[in-house]
Amino acid sequence: MKRMFIFALGLLFTASSILAANFQPTLLKLNAPSKIKYNFDGKSLTIPVTVTGTPAGAIFLVFTKDKAAKISKTRNGFLGWHYVNKIDTCLYFSGVNSLAVGSNTITWNGKDKGGSLLGAGEYTYYLWGYDNKNAKTRVAHGWYPYYNTDVVTMGAGGKALTNPVIYRPTSRWTIGSNPADSSLFETTRLTLPTGWTQIFRTCFHPGDLNYFYAEAHNSTTRSEGVYKYQWVPGGNAVMQTTFGDNGGFFFSQPVYNGSGVSTDGTFLYAGYYGQYADGINNKLFKIDFDGALQNTFDLTEWMYHADDYKAGAQSAGGPTYMPERNGYLYFNHYGSCIKAMVNPSAENKADLFVWVNQNGDYINDHNDKPDSPRPWVCFDFNTGPYNYTISADANLFSITPSYDMGAVSIALMAPDGTGVSYLSYAGETAGWKYGDIFVDSGSAFDGIYCDNAGSAGVNYTGDKTNAFGIWYLAHDSMKGTIGTEVGVEESAPSAFVVAQNTPNPFNPSTTINFTLTKAAKTTVEVFNSSGQRVATLVNSSISAGPHSTVWNATGFSAGVYFYTVKSGDFSRTMKMTLLK
């Protein structure tokens, strides 16, 4: 009986330890040659791809290279759906390739989307992948990512945060915290001036989580304002009256709603839009950190459709959500077909819009069905797909959640806005989808942060316990070059190289990079200080070239460890340090 009690106590301790564990995802990494030689002769090109961490549903894309300056204000595609300006463009994209952990290949016949052989030259290729086999992992209980949610990945001095922070207007969560402890949500209370309500999307001061900017709405005057506050954990946020006009920057024009506030690290950006007959008032404001106006952009050309209003829908579609990535802003509205990337630092206002994806490519299109009562009307809140967020990764691929499309999770758009595909996460349902946000800063937490509302069904009749909260799915993308010429150093690596793991010291994950001179059976193993093997990270035949693998040391004790990379006749051992 005593033995049974001890056994039960041990189980309880184990379960408690699991519940108390901090969040640490298994990262997905795609590795392929940075330069590939191809003669563009119509023969099949085989590209070696190594996958570490998780399986991947991967898409292969080919783009023009260094042609952006020659591409100016071009509209093409069905209904003129695709607009590009000073950006390299997509020539080909594949379907979803199912890649297993280890060595894989992707093939391409050198042809574009129309089936024509591309001319000899140099092109950029991309691989974009996500874990389409494993279920999402819980990051936190509580609220879910939505149109008022974003993430901070960079700290002071532009240095990447070890633990990114995902946030809503008055609540934030440090990624990597214990998912079971909802008390770890840090909150502040925001009191707006009299008459001002409806806090929209906020942003933090660059590199400083102590201060944030909030946009608010005045329903009486139908105007918007941006305020600056000091974040006070568990207390009342303090308005900074030195910002703008006694604490605020105000839009005096009559508006329907605000676009939230974003920053590229140099300026703040806020806007407003009309939604009905007054929708022609669509503006974007560029504001400095003192609250002074620097520039105003008119968004009417793309964000206002008078004919849509006459057809019984709406006249404008935001933006209501405009996150930043690499200096660009991304425009989105849940009830609009238009998604866009803009360059707010453009010297010429005519170059503000870099790409626009609207009705015509059957990705995020509205009223594209033959029996639609309003054929091809874009600004229509009465039909799906409903896209509440938009987010871009480090290579400028963007995704939107896509509700009302059945068991579809997201829509993927290429770096030039080309609509690539609707994609589904493992176990997806026809239920709600609210938000998908990238963390892609080289951290141990890179991936997609999303909701799990679909588990509760369309009307929240299912698993309500798992419907709310922040969830994780692995993701990665990479790019290289395909051309008729390949540099000597790229045609075949001249040396077997094993790099020092990064980060080092680490807690709890680190990446091991190595380069092979030729394809061979390869192992990557981890040993403790006593020489005992504690983990095998790679054990397969892989191609020549650069590769990487991740060791997640959750559950291991702090101390010195060694990793050994063996490939053919080559072997090297390196030391690393795990901190706790």
Side-chain angles (χ1 to χ4, degrees), residues 170 187-191 232 234-238:
T170 58
T187 62
T188 192
R189 292 186 293 274
L190 189 64
T191 302
V232 179
N236 296 314
V238 180

Side-chain angles (χ1 to χ4, degrees), residues 321-490:
Y321 190 75
M322 51 180 194
E324 180 270 347
R325 167 65 78 171
N326 296 0
Y328 297 102
L329 298 179
Y330 286 78
F331 285 177
N332 180 54
H333 186 291
Y334 75 91
S336 167
C337 75
I338 285 186
K339 316 300 170 195
M341 183 177 83
V342 304
N343 178 11
S345 64
E347 295 182 5
N348 186 339
K349 290 184 180 181
D351 291 330
L352 174 68
F353 283 85
V354 179
W355 62 253
V356 180
N357 178 308
Q358 59 180 341
N359 268 342
D361 68 342
Y362 297 95
I363 301 296
N364 285 330
D365 284 3
H366 278 183
N367 295 299
D368 57 351
K369 305 297 187 295
D371 59 349
S372 172
R374 291 178 289 276
W376 297 109
V377 167
C378 177
F379 296 145
D380 190 351
F381 306 171
N382 304 303
T383 184
Y386 298 101
N387 315 120
Y388 298 105
T389 62
I390 188 169
S391 186
D393 71 6
N395 282 314
L396 302 184
F397 285 88
S398 54
I399 58 174
T400 61
S402 296
Y403 171 57
D404 203 31
M405 296 295 294
V408 167
S409 303
I410 56 173
L412 173 67
M413 289 168 285
D416 71 335
T418 293
V420 176
S421 182
Y422 284 117
L423 301 171
S424 297
Y425 300 154
E428 190 58 272
T429 71
W432 297 99
K433 290 94 184 176
Y434 283 125
D436 298 87
I437 296 172
F438 285 113
V439 170
D440 197 11
S441 57
S443 77
F445 301 96
D446 285 2
I448 299 171
Y449 290 78
C450 53
D451 67 274
N452 196 37
S455 66
V458 176
N459 296 310
Y460 290 106
T461 57
D463 183 2
K464 295 183 180 180
T465 300
N466 286 320
F468 300 101
I470 306 168
W471 296 75
Y472 171 87
L473 199 77
H475 147 270
D476 191 30
S477 67
M478 61 151 293
K479 68 178 180 179
T481 301
I482 296 176
T484 52
E485 298 294 331
V486 178
V488 174
E489 75 280 2
E490 296 291 343

Side-chain angles (χ1 to χ4, degrees), residues 1 132 213 301 359 403:
M1 187 71 179
N132 62 346
Y213 302 87
E301 176 186 7
N359 268 342
Y403 171 57

Side-chain angles (χ1 to χ4, degrees), residues 8 36 54-55 268 278 282 290 344 422 496 527 542:
I36 300 172
T54 74
L268 296 169
D278 60 359
N282 285 62
D290 292 324
Y422 284 117
F496 171 76
F527 300 85
I542 57 179

